[in-house]
Amino acid sequence: MSVTAAAGFDAAGVAAGIKRTGALDLALVVNRGPLTHAAAVFTSNRSQANPILWSKQIIADGRVDAIVLNSGGANCFTGSEGFQVTHRTAEAAATALGISAGDVLVCSTGLIGEQLNPEVLEEGVLSAVDRLAATVDAGLSAARAIMTTDSAPKTVIVEGGGAHESGGERKGKGERDEGKRVSRDAGAAATSSTFTRDQTTGWRIGGMAKGAGMLAPGLATMLVVLTTDAVVSASDLDAALRAATRVSFDRLDSDGCMSTNDQVTLLASGASGIAPAAADFTAALTSACRDLAQQLQTDAEGASHDITIEVRGAATEDDAVEVGRAVARNNLFKAAIFGNDPNWGRVLAAIGTTRAPFDPYLVDVSMNGVRLCHAGAPDAPREAVDLTPRATHLLIELHAGEASAMIWTNDLTHDYVHENSAYAS
Amino acid sequence: MSVTAAAGFDAAGVAAGIKRTGALDLALVVNRGPLTHAAAVFTSNRSQANPILWSKQIIADGRVDAIVLNSGGANCFTGSEGFQVTHRTAEAAATALGISAGDVLVCSTGLIGEQLNPEVLEEGVLSAVDRLAATVDAGLSAARAIMTTDSAPKTVIVEGGGAHESGGERKGKGERDEGKRVSRDAGAAATSSTFTRDQTTGWRIGGMAKGAGMLAPGLATMLVVLTTDAVVSASDLDAALRAATRVSFDRLDSDGCMSTNDQVTLLASGASGIAPAAADFTAALTSACRDLAQQLQTDAEGASHDITIEVRGAATEDDAVEVGRAVARNNLFKAAIFGNDPNWGRVLAAIGTTRAPFDPYLVDVSMNGVRLCHAGAPDAPREAVDLTPRATHLLIELHAGEASAMIWTNDLTHDYVHENSAYAS
């Protein structure tokens, strides 16, 4: 039920006609309060889409009543005409909802450099307002409406108490390695029925995400909306969101390409009447973000391996992240994994491009539990590694300190090239 | 005739048995003097192969009598045993030639993390010494012996007077866009017969190169040997080589991956007896390096487009290079070009990841002469661009200053993925 899992939120997803296919392409999420606190983080790309420019202004006061999201066009590099389209979209929602356009965020995703038709968006917004509901279906429709090349909607629910459910409708692209998952709160196994609103005894976080390519730090081509009925101030929401995204979406680096449209938004209604401790809220939010990040990784365009790069023994966490990213962006390594080739030399060549302190003759490299390189020299034979499972674990031990980090990426495949060479057509 | 085009140099290429295929795999170039001045530049990767560690010590005094190069194995991350292999290779050449091992450079290329058999290398060196000659064929055999996934040997000859010949045996992979080439000295069109030694009236530079992947700055997976019979001091050779590589090999960024084994070596025999002006020598050397760099680009693994990224109007040259590299490393842009899709939005998204000063609403982007984006908004329709030719020209006008730079890269293709997923097999 995604964003409607938390009390106080209505949602809708409609086919506004932006996509030629007639698929759902416009989502609306409305915070019915009593609180309308909000926080957001944005792409660090300096080429920013019009909805990013708009939303950065809107979020400044920490109040958001509604958010409109469209797929089918990024509204980026569309000049002042494009900014007007974003503005008109927010105005349409505000008028229909009886709120201020200054409290309406807008997100867009799709091809850069194409004008969106403002009338189509306005009509879509009106249609979405008509269908607003707090139901499971409404939340799922919203999650579907933001999809581009995603193969399935991505949703998550985290109970303040610890239970956790993710992506009920996700299509399996292969086995998930639950043993390697980072988040998963401890607690009772959650089922859908656990999360009907009547049974709520605490507070919740619900969320939806889209993104299946251009997944790189400073976010990714991702749009994420997280909702909570916890009582949290706007400034605490901001702190929690920055802490959570730093170790989740910002550790996802599918293809090294940073988008112009990324936005992660967190809305708080306070409808549960419960004010959790900041640490508890941040932990639950981090769990939700990690879950969505891993759904994005699993659905990355054309990927045949989900690669967890674990860097241990770095001098600092920043060093560990830099090393992990360098490997995650190495096309030769990624192509080798596609071919089930445990080519650890390419890992070391990538590490050598970083500024992280390390001695090439102390480094160990393991894949899927087999140590292939010890102290900078060959160790186990390549044949000992089985790279046929989709879940791939690369462990780099730098022996330069005590810090560690994980980066999630994918392999470089024929399908990646195909999907991205045909995207605009 | 490659490295033997300059007077004073002998060369050989033999099948030592390092490659299982029986192909040529060991090259030797000997400087017969009267001078034995030399300079070299090395990969900036901090993971460096044993031959790099060796050669950096040897070049320190500016004297080199001979250089041994092998394909079939990188001798990188092979521990102290691997360093001994390099040492023994140099000793074998020194003993056979009656020189000091301290004046013998070694280069290796191939897979990382596999030990080379020192006896095989030693026998190969002896065989190469037996076949040393100053002939066209000897130079060509040396150029062939350093090939890995190269489809053809890469050679160049530049006359001090201005004539220029490149890659006589190169296989055409498509049309070369001569109009866009940077170097090509002015002067009479050169033919092979122009370059027989008897007709020499001045000084020359000859060269050979290998490299067909991992082409990125701080060199690339490239081994290059340049020879000259000009009279130039070791320190002047060093200055000229750094100036030439900075605007040639360092501007080639095929796949963003930096190798552990790259080395560009320049040897001067002084046999012409002519001491050119430093500016003339540097210009000729730059011409030779650019020619070889473009041969490397044209032969990049799996590529179907040779992309020249021209950045104009940058605040500084460094900014222009950073912008060009960011685009050259953007997989989404590269996949789009493979699909003949002029997706200029991906260019702007890549520019936005740099630190270069620019205003997204002033940028112009053109492909193959058609301006697709003007002042940050759509200009000509995508359909107006023909991306079917192999030679692709991307022009980025930042309107942030007066500096410019060119970066050469390739598209991201199915064949790139295939070749690099199957490399080790």
Side-chain angles (χ1 to χ4, degrees):
Chain A
M1 58 204 297
S2 134
V3 289
T4 53
F9 293 93
D10 291 342
V14 300
I18 309 165
K19 287 179 178 168
R20 287 173 217 148
T21 58
L24 297 180
D25 52 18
L26 188 138
L28 175 65
V29 181
V30 177
N31 185 352
R32 300 294 190 189
L35 303 179
T36 51
H37 295 164
V41 293
F42 301 91
T43 180
S44 55
N45 197 310
R46 291 164 59 219
S47 294
Q48 304 195 331
N50 284 306
I52 297 288
L53 299 174
W54 171 266
S55 294
K56 281 187 163 178
Q57 295 177 343
I58 301 307
I59 199 70
D61 66 357
R63 173 177 180 164
V64 170
D65 289 7
I67 178 168
V68 180
L69 310 93
N70 76 272
S71 54
N75 195 3
C76 182
F77 288 108
T78 45
S80 57
E81 183 183 340
F83 191 81
Q84 285 307 313
V85 171
T86 295
H87 189 180
R88 285 178 62 173
T89 303
E91 288 285 0
T95 303
L97 292 165
I99 56 176
S100 161
D103 298 321
V104 179
L105 296 176
V106 180
C107 296
S108 299
T109 180
L111 197 63
I112 295 173
E114 310 246 312
Q115 292 291 356
L116 292 171
N117 183 329
E119 278 99 39
V120 168
L121 280 162
E122 285 168 340
E123 287 175 28
V125 167
L126 294 182
S127 170
V129 169
D130 284 344
R131 300 186 193 199
L132 279 171
T135 62
V136 172
D137 282 352
L140 193 58
S141 291
R144 289 187 164 283
I146 59 174
M147 291 166 58
T148 52
T149 55
D150 305 68
S151 70
K154 297 166 180 71
T155 65
V156 71
I157 305 171
V158 176
E159 290 280 350
H164 189 132
E165 172 188 88
S166 74
E169 219 201 56
R170 191 175 346 119
K171 289 175 196 162
K173 277 196 168 181
E175 286 180 59
R176 292 173 67 112
D177 186 349
E178 298 295 336
K180 298 228 174 58
R181 299 198 62 185
V182 186
S183 54
R184 287 289 164 196
D185 289 335
T191 63
S192 285
S193 62
T194 313
F195 294 102
T196 58
R197 184 162 296 169
D198 299 334
Q199 294 172 296
T200 303
T201 55
W203 53 276
R204 279 183 183 157
I205 295 171
M208 65 179 186
K210 68 93 13 183
M214 273 210 247
L215 298 176
L219 304 178
T221 288
M222 61 171 69
L223 297 182
V224 179
V225 178
L226 295 149
T227 56
T228 184
D229 46 23
V231 176
V232 188
S233 71
S235 62
D236 287 349
L237 288 177
D238 186 71
L241 185 61
R242 290 180 192 283
T245 54
R246 192 181 72 82
V247 294
S248 56
F249 300 119
D250 275 351
R251 296 289 168 87
L252 187 62
D253 197 329
S254 175
D255 65 2
C257 297
M258 189 194 296
S259 163
T260 51
N261 286 61
D262 305 324
Q263 183 172 338
V264 179
T265 305
L266 173 59
L267 307 173
S269 69
S272 72
I274 300 169
D280 292 344
F281 183 73
T282 300
L285 186 66
T286 302
S287 172
C289 289
R290 280 191 164 146
D291 190 295
L292 289 173
Q294 291 187 323
Q295 292 183 51
L296 293 172
Q297 178 191 28
T298 301
D299 199 24
E301 285 170 352
S304 68
H305 290 79
D306 299 331
I307 308 171
T308 299
I309 301 173
E310 184 176 359
V311 182
R312 287 191 202 153
T316 68
E317 185 180 342
D318 283 350
D319 290 333
V321 170
E322 184 182 354
V323 165
R325 276 203 209 303
V327 176
R329 293 179 175 187
N330 188 283
N331 279 348
L332 292 168
F333 165 70
K334 290 156 77 89
I337 297 299
F338 166 60
N340 296 333
D341 168 18
N343 194 318
W344 57 269
R346 293 174 177 177
V347 174
L348 287 161
I351 299 171
T353 65
T354 70
R355 296 158 302 181
F358 81 105
D359 180 338
Y361 294 96
L362 289 180
V363 176
D364 297 337
V365 177
S366 304
M367 290 192 207
N368 287 354
V370 177
R371 194 175 67 184
L372 290 157
C373 170
H374 176 53
D379 195 8
R382 291 161 196 261
E383 296 72 40
V385 181
D386 179 11
L387 285 176
T388 55
R390 182 178 177 95
T392 306
H393 185 244
L394 169 66
L395 173 62
I396 299 165
E397 294 171 286
L398 292 176
H399 299 289
E402 301 297 324
S404 63
M406 286 209 270
I407 295 286
W408 303 298
T409 189
N410 297 99
D411 52 351
L412 178 61
T413 69
H414 290 131
D415 285 351
Y416 175 89
V417 174
H418 177 73
E419 288 194 32
N420 287 298
S421 62
Y423 183 82
S425 58
Chain B
M1 57 205 299
S2 137
V3 290
T4 52
F9 293 93
D10 290 342
V14 301
I18 309 165
K19 288 179 179 168
R20 288 173 216 146
T21 58
L24 298 180
D25 53 17
L26 189 139
L28 176 64
V29 180
V30 177
N31 184 351
R32 300 295 190 187
L35 304 179
T36 52
H37 295 164
V41 293
F42 301 91
T43 179
S44 55
N45 197 309
R46 291 163 60 217
S47 295
Q48 303 196 330
N50 285 306
I52 297 288
L53 300 174
W54 171 266
S55 294
K56 281 186 163 179
Q57 297 176 343
I58 301 308
I59 200 70
D61 65 358
R63 174 178 177 162
V64 170
D65 290 6
I67 179 167
V68 181
L69 311 94
N70 76 273
S71 53
N75 196 2
C76 182
F77 288 107
T78 46
S80 56
E81 183 184 341
F83 191 81
Q84 286 306 314
V85 171
T86 296
H87 189 179
R88 284 177 63 173
T89 303
E91 288 285 359
T95 303
L97 293 165
I99 58 178
S100 162
D103 298 322
V104 179
L105 297 176
V106 180
C107 296
S108 298
T109 181
L111 197 62
I112 294 173
E114 309 247 312
Q115 291 292 357
L116 293 171
N117 183 327
E119 278 98 37
V120 168
L121 280 163
E122 286 167 341
E123 286 175 29
V125 167
L126 295 182
S127 170
V129 169
D130 284 344
R131 298 185 195 199
L132 279 171
T135 61
V136 171
D137 283 351
L140 193 57
S141 291
R144 289 185 164 283
I146 59 175
M147 290 166 59
T148 52
T149 54
D150 305 69
S151 69
K154 298 165 179 71
T155 63
V156 69
I157 305 171
V158 176
E159 291 279 350
H164 190 132
E165 172 187 89
S166 75
E169 218 201 59
R170 189 176 349 117
K171 290 176 197 162
K173 275 195 169 183
E175 286 179 59
R176 294 172 67 111
D177 186 348
E178 298 294 337
K180 298 228 175 57
R181 300 196 63 183
V182 186
S183 55
R184 288 287 165 195
D185 290 335
T191 64
S192 286
S193 62
T194 315
F195 294 101
T196 57
R197 183 162 296 169
D198 299 334
Q199 294 172 298
T200 303
T201 53
W203 53 276
R204 278 183 183 159
I205 294 172
M208 65 180 186
K210 71 90 16 184
M214 274 209 247
L215 297 176
L219 303 178
T221 290
M222 62 172 68
L223 298 182
V224 179
V225 179
L226 296 149
T227 54
T228 183
D229 46 23
V231 176
V232 188
S233 71
S235 63
D236 286 349
L237 288 177
D238 186 71
L241 186 61
R242 290 180 191 283
T245 55
R246 191 180 73 82
V247 293
S248 56
F249 299 119
D250 275 352
R251 297 289 168 87
L252 188 61
D253 198 329
S254 174
D255 64 4
C257 298
M258 191 194 296
S259 163
T260 53
N261 285 61
D262 305 324
Q263 184 172 338
V264 179
T265 305
L266 171 60
L267 307 173
S269 69
S272 72
I274 300 169
D280 292 343
F281 182 73
T282 300
L285 186 66
T286 302
S287 172
C289 289
R290 281 189 163 149
D291 190 294
L292 288 172
Q294 292 187 322
Q295 292 182 51
L296 293 171
Q297 178 190 28
T298 301
D299 199 24
E301 285 170 351
S304 69
H305 290 79
D306 300 330
I307 308 171
T308 299
I309 301 173
E310 184 175 359
V311 182
R312 287 191 202 153
T316 68
E317 185 179 342
D318 284 350
D319 290 334
V321 170
E322 185 183 353
V323 165
R325 276 204 209 303
V327 176
R329 292 179 175 185
N330 187 283
N331 279 348
L332 293 169
F333 166 71
K334 290 156 76 90
I337 296 297
F338 166 60
N340 296 333
D341 168 18
N343 195 317
W344 57 269
R346 293 174 177 177
V347 174
L348 287 161
I351 299 171
T353 66
T354 71
R355 298 160 299 183
F358 80 105
D359 180 338
Y361 294 96
L362 289 180
V363 175
D364 297 337
V365 176
S366 305
M367 290 192 208
N368 286 355
V370 177
R371 195 174 68 184
L372 290 157
C373 170
H374 175 53
D379 195 8
R382 291 160 197 262
E383 296 72 39
V385 180
D386 179 11
L387 284 176
T388 54
R390 183 177 176 97
T392 306
H393 185 245
L394 169 66
L395 173 62
I396 299 165
E397 294 171 285
L398 293 176
H399 298 291
E402 300 297 322
S404 62
M406 286 210 270
I407 295 286
W408 303 297
T409 190
N410 297 100
D411 52 352
L412 178 61
T413 68
H414 290 130
D415 285 350
Y416 175 89
V417 174
H418 178 73
E419 288 194 32
N420 287 298
S421 63
Y423 183 81
S425 58

